[in-house]
């Protein structure tokens, strides 16, 4: 077995090495959240397009300011006004936040540092050149790159694109990720299961994880433990950009995913990783596509997706793989675990006095999806640790924030 970090790096290297030209499309900016830019977005003009006041106050010549200085106010400017008069020696213009600095002025005195009687403004302090002013082009020069290709678009990126007039950014096509569950015991989640059947939660949870990464899930349903049915559905899944199977990857008599993949000529990169839950996990390259065989237990499926599938979906979307969102927290209670594998335990982080604290969630193993729903992170227990004490600083992998 290999460690999870090595396995993750193998996924990144091999999926990156698949190459291929990414398809692109133009989308309305309002629909671009979570997409990956295919082309740079450049600035259509200087930003700000004028010297802009960032305070309410008076536009002045800095050389005229000192404690007790008296200036004559000759006008007023608010955001959106076109300055039509200039500041000259001994004069000032009242100005509002966001307004363009008038000609002749090179600073702004905040209004709270002044007193006024009629048109006479008295200052209680001096200001420096360009104080309380954002210079033209200091945020972004005309023609400069605002957002580079490969950037994943969030709300701030949408604002930046809107500011420079990019109404239809060019983005990469969403990667199509085929999802296939396996097992004779699995029935559709909307149906009533028999006494020894289970509902298919993996297909919907994987679909949600794919959507959170900006991918498009192609749900293939469930394959029974039959070589013929697996062959047929795997063949359909290989039409997508990548394929995820859940279940059928362990060492049992009816675990048939790996043999069928080999029939298709797959190169098995790894088929076990030293983690709990999720040790029997397969990563393969088949017909030029990345294929993942994840364990069938729901928590194992979720954990191994975040560890190994997430970077592949990022790469297929044209983005750099996001790092695992690991943070430190203080352990609230002692913990004993069997050593030998890195454990990813469902846990809950809370913040007290601005410090993160973590407590494991009570759970019954990798089939306990309810416990995972009550968790907001995974506590990472190193393979060599058998006991951890309350008050220790531990690592946690935040869930759903990749």
């Amino acid at each position: 077995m290999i460690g999870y970090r090595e396995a993750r790096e193998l996924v990144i290297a091999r999926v990156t090495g698949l190459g291929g030209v990414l398809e692109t499309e133009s989308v309305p900016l309002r629909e671009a959240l979570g997409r990956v830019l295919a082309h740079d977005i450049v600035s259509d003009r200087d930003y700000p397009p004028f010297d802009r006041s960032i305070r309410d106050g008076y536009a002045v010549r800095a050389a005229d300011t000192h404690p007790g200085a008296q200036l004559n106010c000759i006008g007023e400017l608010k955001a959106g006004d076109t300055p039509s008069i200039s500041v000259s020696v001994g004069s000032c213009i009242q100005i509002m936040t966001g307004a363009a600095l008038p000609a002749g002025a090179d600073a702004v005195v905040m209004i709270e540092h002044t007193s006024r009687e009629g048109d006479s403004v008295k200052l209680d302090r001096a200001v420096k050149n360009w104080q309380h002013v954002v210079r033209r082009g200091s945020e972004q020069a005309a023609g400069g790159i605002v957002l580079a290709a490969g950037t994943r678009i969030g709300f701030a990126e949408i604002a930046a694109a809107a500011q420079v007039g990019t109404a239809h950014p060019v983005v990469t096509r969403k990667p199509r990720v085929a999802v296939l569950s396996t097992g004779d015991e699995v029935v559709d989640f909307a149906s009533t299961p028999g006494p020894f059947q289970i509902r298919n939660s993996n297909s919907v949870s994987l679909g949600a994880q794919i959507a959170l990464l900006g991918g498009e899930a192609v749900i293939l349903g469930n394959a029974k433990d039959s070589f013929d049915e697996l062959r047929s559905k795997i063949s359909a899944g290989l039409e997508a950009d990548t394929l995820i199977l859940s279940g059928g990857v362990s060492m049992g008599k009816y675990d048939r995913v790996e043999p069928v993949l080999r029939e298709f000529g797959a190169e098995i990169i790894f088929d076990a990783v030293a983690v709990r839950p999720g040790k029997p996990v397969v990563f393969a390259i088949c017909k030029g596509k990345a294929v993942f065989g994840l364990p069938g237990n729901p928590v194992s499926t979720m954990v191994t997706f975040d560890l190994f599938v997430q970077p592949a979906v990022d790469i297929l979307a044209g983005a750099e793989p996001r790092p695992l969102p690991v943070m430190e927290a203080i352990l609230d209670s002692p913990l004993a675990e069997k050593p030998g594998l890195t454990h990813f335990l469902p846990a809950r982080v809370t913040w007290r006095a601005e410090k993160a604290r973590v407590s494991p969630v009570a759970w019954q193993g990798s089939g306990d999806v309810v416990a995972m729903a009550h968790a907001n992170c995974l506590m990472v227990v190193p393979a060599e640790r058998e006991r951890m004490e309350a008050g220790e600083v531990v690592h946690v992998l935040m869930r759903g924030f990749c």
Side-chain angles (χ1 to χ4, degrees), residues 165-203:
T166 303
H168 289 81
V170 179
V171 297
T172 58
R173 177 180 57 79
K174 289 184 177 184
R176 297 175 69 248
V177 183
V179 176
L180 174 62
S181 63
T182 67
D184 289 346
E185 76 282 14
V186 178
V187 298
D188 186 79
F189 72 91
S191 66
T192 301
F196 303 107
Q197 293 178 316
I198 58 171
R199 291 188 176 96
N200 188 353
S201 66
N202 283 348
S203 286

Side-chain angles (χ1 to χ4, degrees), residues 40-213:
D40 296 340
I41 290 178
V42 299
S43 183
D44 61 333
R45 58 177 180 166
D46 289 336
Y47 284 93
F50 47 80
D51 293 335
R52 182 182 66 205
S53 174
I54 59 172
R55 296 286 188 271
D56 294 330
Y58 293 91
V60 299
R61 290 173 4 111
D64 289 344
T65 66
H66 57 81
Q70 298 271 358
L71 301 177
N72 182 41
C73 184
I74 59 174
E76 178 183 293
L77 288 168
K78 65 181 184 300
D81 285 348
T82 300
S84 57
I85 54 177
S86 302
V87 171
S88 56
V89 175
S91 70
C92 65
I93 294 176
Q94 188 168 11
I95 195 167
M96 313 304 167
T97 300
L101 203 68
D106 60 9
V108 171
V109 178
M110 293 169 61
I111 196 165
E112 48 264 55
H113 299 150
T114 68
S115 57
R116 181 171 176 174
E117 291 186 11
D119 291 334
S120 178
V121 178
K122 184 178 181 180
L123 313 184
D124 67 10
R125 67 187 59 191
V127 290
K128 300 176 182 178
N129 289 89
W130 309 115
Q131 192 168 345
H132 306 313
V133 175
V134 175
R135 301 299 307 278
R136 173 177 177 164
S138 60
E139 296 173 358
Q140 184 65 59
I145 295 175
V146 177
L147 299 170
T151 299
R152 190 174 292 277
I153 301 174
F155 59 85
E157 288 78 9
I158 283 179
Q163 178 174 269
V164 299
T166 303
H168 289 81
V170 179
V171 297
T172 58
R173 177 180 57 79
K174 289 184 177 184
R176 297 175 69 248
V177 183
V179 176
L180 174 62
S181 63
T182 67
D184 289 346
E185 76 282 14
V186 178
V187 298
D188 186 79
F189 72 91
S191 66
T192 301
F196 303 107
Q197 293 178 316
I198 58 171
R199 291 188 176 96
N200 188 353
S201 66
N202 283 348
S203 286
V204 287
S205 67
L206 286 169
Q209 287 178 286
I210 291 163
L212 287 171
L213 292 180

Side-chain angles (χ1 to χ4, degrees), residues 234 245 257-266 268 282 284 286 291:
I234 286 175
L245 300 103
V257 165
E258 199 168 337
V260 173
L261 288 176
R262 292 188 189 276
E263 288 182 21
F264 278 89
I268 308 297
V282 173
C286 187
V291 178

